Amino acid sequence: MNSEDTVKKDFIRDIIDEDLRTNKYDGRVHTRFPPEPNGYLHIGHAKSICLNFGIAEEYGGLCNLRFDDTNPTKEEEEYTRSIIEDVCWLGFDWEDRLFYASDYFDQMYKYAIQLVKDGKAYVDDLSAEKINEYRGTLTQTGRNSPYRDRSVEESLNLLEQMKAGEFADGEKVLRAKIDMAHPNLNMRDPVIYRTLHATHHRTGDKWCIYPMYDWAHGLEDSVEGITHSICTLEFENHRPLYDWFLDALGVYHPQQIEFARLNLTYTIMSKRMLLELVEGRYVNGWDDPRLPTISGMRRRGYSSAAIRNFCKRIGVAKVNSMVDLEFLEHCVREDLNKTAPRFMGVLRPLRVVIENYPEDKVEEMEAINNPEDPGAGTRKVPFSRVIYIEQEDFMEEPPKKFYRLAPGREVRLRYAYFVTCKEAVKDDGRIVELRCTIDPATRGGYAPDGRKVKSTIHWVSVEHAIDAEVRLYDRLFTVNDPAGQKNADFKEFLNPNSLEVLKSCKVEPALGNLKPFDRFQFERLGYFCVDPDITKENLVINKTVGLRDTWAKIRKQQQMNKLDS
RNA sequence: AGCCCUGUAGUGUAGUGGUUAACAUAAGAGACUCUGGAUCUCUAGACACCAGUUCGAAUCUGGUCGGGGCUGCCA
């Protein structure tokens, strides 16, 4: 229950504990979250954000937000904006420490000159293809570039000309002079600067050379005095380089620690693939509620508390793993159960006439707003002679274990009366209306004679109902690992039924007071929230996640058994 | 193939030489209930394998097997 407050130890926190014990960084803990502004943040980033900001919080340290904007061809202002919004919404605060890698471009250039002067870097004239060729392969050592041994003066000169824009894109690069025979490919004279005449969203046309990740990242960490530079596993093989640059420069040296990125079933976590879905209009923008983006989940109705709790509970380790989407949904339900006010809404309406209830009578039934939170109080729900109930709450020929309404059967209308079905009115074989009676003695939902009823169903008064459009979402993909399917495009596994729009839903009048992003529960159905597409005339509601549905499970089992026999 | 990382219930994590190997979730059974929700109880379920060290190994050593990553002027 207090899963939210317990600080769970993991291998990263163990390292920090040890560093604190040995006073490695004078007792400081300083992390950073370094997104590249080339897409929207997703739940995988949330894991990293919670890790970095969480650790800083726990240890009384600091966490910076830093945009790793070293590649102007892919980065945009719009992404920066969204990232700031998302980190904020998740509930983290970088105070005055919002940085950009581009803030350090001058410093990085000076460091590069230092490296050249020390004979540890050189300008290479080889083409990209040639550099590739010279690099060797996994099993074969590389060969030195013919330009590797040119003089420091010449490299210095060339570097200056590169910076001045005197070379075309791709014509020259600055490379570190390490070891072309190194078993780690990353150490075979990696590129430090590439020539690139592109307009940067912050520095404009000031630069026509841009630093490579390996060169830039450690320097950014170093300049900011980061103690623990936490990144994902794919940078493991880059750590020797991270260390080499910092050592070669003789500057402050944070330590890089790698952890396994998050994978979630039935979705994708790759920015490239997300971009493809957005640009190809397979979804409706970065904040489509079916996407695992922070903005998508926010629009879907997920709370930041639920996401934070999820990130805490999945832990952090070095093995690649796949977390069940159900676990995320569990965390969402757990939070919403405690916080979401309840309402009644009918998604697929079935008209019910209560024959023994007066035509013009309206009663205000008292309903509890949230049984999990007594402080949430109560509200009045209007009841009248004609109401809607859910189509699936009635069956003419109920199978075993179906407890809801059926001909001759009595159930409870939540917070109202016991109701008995007298007749199902059909039109062309389709049930269009139910004729029922209530027991006036059961007003409020209790029988004075103590008799029990097998189930309680929700309802909405026809006269008072508000029309609503409800958008139902299912998993975006039909397979649990769409990105990992061999020889297939992930888009082939898109679930064609991931979005279902219900136009004629009927909801209780209190819903009219809600604002976009307000979260609530439709009793017996699930958690929902108001979509920002809402207008004065059109109430638009998103389904966040359904309630646990025992009946659906029974039904499925019954159908399986039927197939077996 | 070379280098690096990594193997604990279905899933995600804990366990750091002595524990009935823990927790969460999922699964199954039951209790309770004006949400077939929530809550509660119970059940089943794991140390990849083989040697070695040791009185004693999930934990240390060696090997085998499995999984992941690396050959962008992306990050």
Side-chain angles (χ1 to χ4, degrees), chain A residues 117 133 207 407:
Chain A
K117 283 182 176 165
E133 202 182 305
W207 296 89

Side-chain angles (χ1 to χ4, degrees), chain A residues 501-520:
Chain A
V501 180
L502 267 24
K503 296 273 191 184
S504 49
C505 307
K506 307 289 183 180
V507 305
E508 67 168 87
L511 266 295
N513 302 325
L514 299 190
K515 303 181 302 297
F517 297 102
D518 278 351
R519 291 182 279 264
F520 59 91

Side-chain angles (χ1 to χ4, degrees), chain A residues 452-475:
Chain A
K452 299 279 187 199
V453 91
K454 281 285 241 184
S455 78
T456 299
I457 64 175
H458 60 276
W459 52 272
V460 172
S461 163
V462 169
E463 186 190 332
H464 306 88
I466 298 180
D467 289 311
E469 170 183 328
V470 175
R471 298 174 182 169
L472 306 177
Y473 303 101
D474 196 358
R475 40 185 61 148

Side-chain angles (χ1 to χ4, degrees), chain A residues 152-163:
Chain A
V152 166
E153 287 67 34
E154 196 183 354
S155 277
L156 234 32
N157 229 295
L158 257 13
L159 178 58
E160 212 162 288
Q161 292 175 50
M162 278 169 66
K163 181 180 179 247

Side-chain angles (χ1 to χ4, degrees), chain A residues 95-133:
Chain A
E95 296 169 315
D96 58 348
R97 298 178 312 284
L98 171 61
F99 302 121
Y100 294 83
S102 51
D103 291 341
Y104 314 134
F105 280 177
D106 283 301
Q107 180 63 55
M108 287 176 191
Y109 183 72
K110 282 182 200 152
Y111 279 138
I113 289 173
Q114 182 188 331
L115 220 53
V116 175
K117 283 182 176 165
D118 289 346
K120 293 172 179 168
Y122 61 98
V123 171
D124 197 348
D125 299 2
L126 247 31
S127 66
E129 299 74 50
K130 282 291 174 196
I131 286 182
N132 255 322
E133 202 182 305

Side-chain angles (χ1 to χ4, degrees), chain A residues 426-524:
Chain A
K426 291 191 194 174
D427 176 26
D428 205 17
R430 211 171 57 91
I431 299 166
V432 292
E433 183 181 287
L434 260 31
R435 310 296 293 191
C436 299
T437 57
I438 51 139
D439 176 356
T442 58
R443 188 179 193 280
Y446 296 93
D449 62 1
R451 75 176 186 280
K452 299 279 187 199
V453 91
K454 281 285 241 184
S455 78
T456 299
I457 64 175
H458 60 276
W459 52 272
V460 172
S461 163
V462 169
E463 186 190 332
H464 306 88
I466 298 180
D467 289 311
E469 170 183 328
V470 175
R471 298 174 182 169
L472 306 177
Y473 303 101
D474 196 358
R475 40 185 61 148
L476 227 203
F477 292 94
T478 54
V479 293
N480 70 359
D481 183 17
Q485 304 292 316
K486 294 276 179 256
N487 308 317
D489 187 292
F490 74 101
K491 296 192 297 302
E492 288 171 29
F493 305 98
L494 244 10
N495 176 4
N497 308 118
S498 59
L499 170 64
E500 184 183 0
V501 180
L502 267 24
K503 296 273 191 184
S504 49
C505 307
K506 307 289 183 180
V507 305
E508 67 168 87
L511 266 295
N513 302 325
L514 299 190
K515 303 181 302 297
F517 297 102
D518 278 351
R519 291 182 279 264
F520 59 91
Q521 182 194 99
F522 271 141
E523 296 226 19
R524 304 209 310 131

Side-chain angles (χ1 to χ4, degrees), chain A residues 25 42 73 97 152-153 205-206 216 226 372 538 542 549:
Chain A
Y25 299 104
H42 53 63
T73 61
R97 298 178 312 284
V152 166
E153 287 67 34
D205 293 322
K206 177 176 176 188
I226 299 303
E372 303 292 322
N538 196 23
N542 292 317
D549 193 346

